[in-house]
Amino acid sequence: MENVKTITPAEVEQRLKEGEALFLVDVREHEEVAYGKIPEAVHIPMGEIPNKLDSFDKDHEYIFICRSGVRSENVCRYLDHLGYKTVNMIGGMLSYEGETE
């Protein structure tokens, strides 16, 4: 099985500070997102991803985020298999020190 491409929370934070437009997708559950998410991230719970494939463009790279990086890695594997460009934010929101809302 192919390795999933990864990015650190610090790299995400730095790229956002530099004004880079990133396609961030938070796949945590609603109650988890209530504790804070990256403002630029779109919230699509993991279980809803298969029904939301039309929300993704195969020409864009998407960074997937969860609590610790495990669920987002699983989403990346699923979407990679379907031909999408994905990156997993390792460590998830537990490791993210940037701004949240």
Side-chain angles (χ1 to χ4, degrees), residues 40-57:
E40 294 82 359
V42 173
H43 177 227
I44 305 174
M46 180 178 173
E48 294 178 21
I49 294 288
N51 297 325
K52 301 276 187 174
L53 293 179
D54 59 349
S55 301
F56 300 102
D57 181 336

Side-chain angles (χ1 to χ4, degrees), residues 1-94:
M1 184 173 272
E2 297 266 331
N3 285 337
V4 170
K5 190 173 175 183
T6 61
I7 190 169
T8 67
E11 289 172 315
V12 169
E13 183 181 358
Q14 184 60 39
R15 289 171 67 180
L16 289 171
K17 281 182 181 174
E18 292 171 357
E20 189 173 340
L22 301 176
F23 294 95
L24 304 174
V25 182
D26 192 321
V27 299
R28 295 176 298 157
E29 296 301 316
H30 295 285
E31 58 274 10
E32 293 174 289
V33 170
Y35 289 102
K37 73 172 190 58
I38 299 171
E40 294 82 359
V42 173
H43 177 227
I44 305 174
M46 180 178 173
E48 294 178 21
I49 294 288
N51 297 325
K52 301 276 187 174
L53 293 179
D54 59 349
S55 301
F56 300 102
D57 181 336
K58 289 186 177 181
D59 292 331
H60 295 287
E61 181 176 79
Y62 296 89
I63 298 172
F64 288 89
I65 303 161
C66 69
R67 181 177 171 271
S68 65
V70 176
R71 284 175 287 176
S72 53
E73 180 179 353
N74 289 331
V75 170
C76 287
R77 289 189 189 287
Y78 170 72
L79 291 174
D80 283 351
H81 180 72
L82 296 175
Y84 293 91
K85 298 174 191 167
T86 68
V87 181
N88 182 35
M89 189 175 89
I90 56 174
M93 288 302 290
L94 287 175

